[in-house]
């Protein structure tokens, strides 16, 4: 979140519609009249990733004359982003950083901001507005409120609340369902729901969860037209899947000070990112869409192979680097990736994961991993391992566990994939010991802490963690995977990362942290 202690130095101005045209010539700024922009997209979850990714793509479309696609941003929890951007007329700086270089761009596609807990009625009005034709989401994996088996967590307090209070929702499910019900009642076509979070088959997954929520809502409403929302969502609402990719580290006070010095005005919340940016979308938009393909977005019939490659090669290795990096004393991705032992492990992890990807989908895994090598080595980003480590119980199923199960089903042992699960458990154990207590967080922190405090036998600990997180609950290879993890956890506990990697044959390298 933006700091309250940002130094003003000798500047007395803030980035805004009044100051943007006076910025230095090297700073790119919106190439369109923002007063002509009409809201066409509502985005749920206006965090740094959205502002570095989807909002930048929409900004390109607005500059090309497609003025009907302005973004109404919605924060489902915190007012921090609204409070930072409202005084700036929604403008913010996107700092595109590579080793030794930085390019600044002011983005203007977010026309307005709402905070759902403060104004649920205004959020519903924006969603029900006939001009809104697309709703995009980046709310993180945990906000989809899935139970361990993959279905909706119907016992979650926020789900219970939304079913009892449909006009005052708290969750994305509640807002989407009520808005779609209102549009249906008004004769307004449904908007397209475009999930941009790292969920497997994210469009289909959200579709299934929302239909499940709507069915529960229908049951409460009883008979009549109002009680047919589930079938309407199932049959009439488009949920294209998408794959998004861009590394977006957390903004620091040093970033704010540096950006302010270059702009000559303050920006309360600039966003840091890398040059690489990718978006692959299934082309299913009954009510229209921006011409994203003009700006390097890949429109496809099936996003699945691209999604799997990204989840298993980028996100999977990111989690591995995060947990092994934390256990080795590396604060950032580039430092962890520069550790020869971790670097060698990532190569072996990629080899296991690549074997699970389809060979007939046109995927160029060699070029992709070469690009990842460059991205992970970017010293300018300072992407913190602790940031990536958050929410492991929600991320590992699609990033690591799914690949591991497929390797087992193919008759191979996913030893490197299994080590990532052990490293997550070990990193959780390390908090309040060798790591700060709140160094990273997880929705399962409370039960996980209680479980680990029992000091069970290692195999019992692993089995209990699998049960708690719901890892591979319905998969035939679950038992085999659970049997692979304990030996890795023993090595991590007894000799740290260097012993765990040596047990995998990475013997000629030593973690940099062990040499200091």
């Amino acid at each position: 979140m933006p700091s309250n202690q940002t130094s003003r130095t000798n500047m007395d101005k803030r980035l805004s519609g009044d100051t943007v045209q006076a910025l230095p010539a090297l700073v790119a700024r919106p190439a369109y009249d923002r007063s002509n922009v009409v809201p066409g997209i509502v985005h749920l979850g206006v965090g740094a990733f959205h502002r570095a990714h989807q909002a930048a793509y929409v900004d390109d479309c607005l500059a090309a004359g497609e003025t009907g696609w302005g973004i109404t941003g919605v924060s489902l929890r915190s007012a921090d982003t609204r409070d930072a951007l409202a005084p700036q007329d929604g403008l913010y700086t996107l700092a595109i950083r590579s080793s030794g270089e930085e390019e600044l761009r002011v983005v203007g596609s977010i026309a307005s901001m709402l905070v759902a807990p403060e104004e649920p009625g205004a959020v519903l009005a924006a969603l029900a507005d006939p001009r809104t034709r697309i709703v995009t989401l980046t709310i993180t994996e945990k906000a989809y409120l899935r139970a361990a088996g993959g279905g909706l967590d119907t016992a979650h307090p926020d789900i219970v609340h939304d079913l009892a209070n449909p006009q005052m929702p708290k969750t994305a499910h509640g807002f989407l369902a009520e808005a779609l019900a209102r549009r249906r009642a008004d004769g307004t076509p449904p908007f397209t729901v475009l999930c941009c979070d790292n969920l497997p088959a994210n469009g289909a997954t959200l579709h299934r969860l929302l239909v499940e929520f709507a069915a529960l809502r229908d049951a409460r409403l009883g008979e009549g037209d109002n009680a047919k929302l589930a079938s309407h969502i199932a049959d009439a609402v488009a949920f294209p899947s998408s794959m998004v990719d861009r590394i977006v580290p957390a903004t620091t006070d040093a970033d704010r000070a540096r950006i302010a010095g270059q702009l000559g005005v303050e920006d309360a919340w600039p966003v840091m990112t890398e040059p690489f940016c990718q978006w692959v979308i299934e082309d299913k938009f009954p009510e229209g869409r921006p011409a994203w393909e003009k700006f390097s977005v890949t429109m496809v019939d099936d996003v699945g192979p691209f999604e799997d490659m990204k989840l298993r090669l980028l996100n999977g290795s990111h989690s591995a680097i995060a947990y092994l990096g934390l256990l080795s004393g590396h604060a950032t991705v580039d430092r962890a990736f520069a550790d020869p032992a971790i670097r060698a492990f990532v190569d072996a992890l990629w080899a296991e994961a690549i074997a699970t990807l389809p060979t007939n989908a046109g995927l160029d895994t060699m070029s992709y991993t070469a690009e990842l090598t460059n991205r992970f080595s970017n010293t300018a980003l300072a992407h913190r391992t602790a940031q990536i480590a958050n929410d492991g119980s929600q991320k590992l199923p699609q990033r690591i566990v799914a690949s591991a199960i497929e390797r087992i089903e193919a008759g191979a042992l996913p030893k490197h994939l299994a080590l990532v699960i052990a490293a997550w458990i070990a990193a959780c154990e390390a908090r309040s010991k060798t790591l700060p207590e709140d160094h990273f967080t997880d929705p399962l922190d409370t039960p996980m802490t209680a479980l680990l405090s029992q000091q069970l036998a290692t195999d019992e600990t692993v089995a209990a963690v699998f049960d708690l997180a719901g890892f591979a609950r319905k998969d035939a290879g679950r038992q085999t995977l659970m049997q692979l993890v304990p030996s890795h956890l023993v090595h991590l506990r007894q000799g740290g990362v260097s012993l765990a990697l040596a047990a995998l044959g990475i013997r000629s390298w030593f973690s940099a942290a062990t040499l200091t």
Side-chain angles (χ1 to χ4, degrees), residues 234 316 359 362 454 487:
T359 58
Q454 297 178 39
S487 62

Side-chain angles (χ1 to χ4, degrees), residues 163 213-223 226-228:
L163 290 171
F213 176 86
L216 294 172
R217 174 189 158 117
D218 289 347
R220 291 181 68 96
L221 292 175
E223 297 297 327
N226 289 334
K228 298 178 181 177

Side-chain angles (χ1 to χ4, degrees), residues 120-121 124-125 128 166-167 177-188 217:
L124 288 170
Q167 297 186 38
E178 176 64 17
L180 287 167
R182 293 185 182 189
R183 293 175 77 100
R184 178 168 170 258
D186 292 342
T188 303
R217 174 189 158 117

Side-chain angles (χ1 to χ4, degrees), residues 118-392:
E118 296 178 6
E119 305 176 273
V123 174
L124 288 170
L127 290 166
D129 188 327
R131 296 175 298 178
T132 298
R133 288 170 283 166
I134 299 173
V135 176
T136 52
L137 301 91
T138 51
I139 58 176
T140 75
E141 293 95 332
K142 62 184 176 182
Y144 289 88
L145 305 180
R146 292 169 294 162
L152 187 69
D153 183 0
T154 57
H156 193 282
D158 289 347
I159 295 294
V160 173
H161 170 275
D162 283 6
L163 290 171
N165 302 275
Q167 297 186 38
M168 296 287 288
K170 293 182 178 181
T171 70
H173 307 300
F175 277 107
L176 292 173
E178 176 64 17
L180 287 167
R182 293 185 182 189
R183 293 175 77 100
R184 178 168 170 258
D186 292 342
T188 303
F191 44 65
T192 296
V193 183
L194 179 59
C195 179
C196 300
D197 280 301
N198 288 322
L199 300 173
N202 55 15
T205 297
L206 178 53
H207 188 196
R208 174 174 51 78
L209 292 169
L210 192 59
V211 168
E212 186 176 350
F213 176 86
L216 294 172
R217 174 189 158 117
D218 289 347
R220 291 181 68 96
L221 292 175
E223 297 297 327
D225 289 341
N226 289 334
K228 298 178 181 177
L229 183 60
S231 61
H232 174 66
I233 293 173
D235 299 334
V237 183
F239 288 77
S241 289
S242 74
M243 185 276 278
V244 298
D245 192 357
R246 198 170 209 183
I247 294 173
V248 184
T251 302
T252 66
D253 286 344
D255 293 325
R256 292 184 180 87
R258 185 185 69 259
I259 298 302
Q262 295 181 69
L263 295 179
V265 295
E266 289 187 359
D267 182 346
W269 206 336
V271 178
M272 308 299 112
T273 194
E274 61 173 336
F276 182 90
C277 194
Q278 186 179 25
W279 200 3
V280 184
I281 310 173
E282 292 177 347
D283 202 354
K284 304 171 184 176
F285 293 83
E287 298 305 310
R289 62 169 177 80
W292 282 312
E293 68 274 12
K294 294 181 179 179
F295 302 99
S296 301
V297 175
T298 304
M299 307 302 299
V300 298
D301 293 329
D302 180 13
V303 77
F306 298 91
E307 174 191 71
D308 286 344
M309 182 169 70
K310 187 254 183 173
L311 283 170
R312 298 180 183 192
L313 300 187
L314 167 65
N315 298 127
S317 58
H318 241 175
S319 291
I321 292 168
Y323 299 123
L324 294 175
L326 287 172
L327 295 170
S328 301
H330 300 302
T332 61
V333 169
D334 62 288
R335 294 179 184 176
F337 196 62
D339 183 325
I342 294 176
R343 176 70 181 83
F345 174 80
V346 169
D347 280 336
L349 184 73
W350 280 337
E352 283 188 356
I354 286 171
T356 71
L357 297 173
T359 58
N360 59 352
L363 302 179
D364 186 350
T365 57
M366 182 176 295
S367 296
Y368 190 71
T369 52
E371 182 71 46
L372 291 180
T373 298
N374 292 331
R375 296 168 70 191
F376 293 165
S377 302
N378 187 343
T379 59
L381 285 182
H383 199 183
R384 292 179 55 80
T385 48
Q387 179 186 356
I388 301 167
N390 288 325
D391 305 331

Side-chain angles (χ1 to χ4, degrees), residues 20-21 28-34 59 63 91 105-109:
V20 66
Q21 295 305 324
R29 76 263 344 246
Y32 51 92
D33 184 348
R34 296 182 77 218
D59 196 60
L91 297 170
R105 169 186 180 181
V106 175
V107 177
S109 55

Side-chain angles (χ1 to χ4, degrees), residues 441-461:
T441 62
D442 192 282
L444 296 181
D445 274 343
T446 298
M448 187 79 164
T449 299
L451 189 162
L452 296 175
S453 69
Q454 297 178 39
Q455 297 183 332
L456 303 172
T458 305
D459 58 343
E460 293 176 346
T461 294

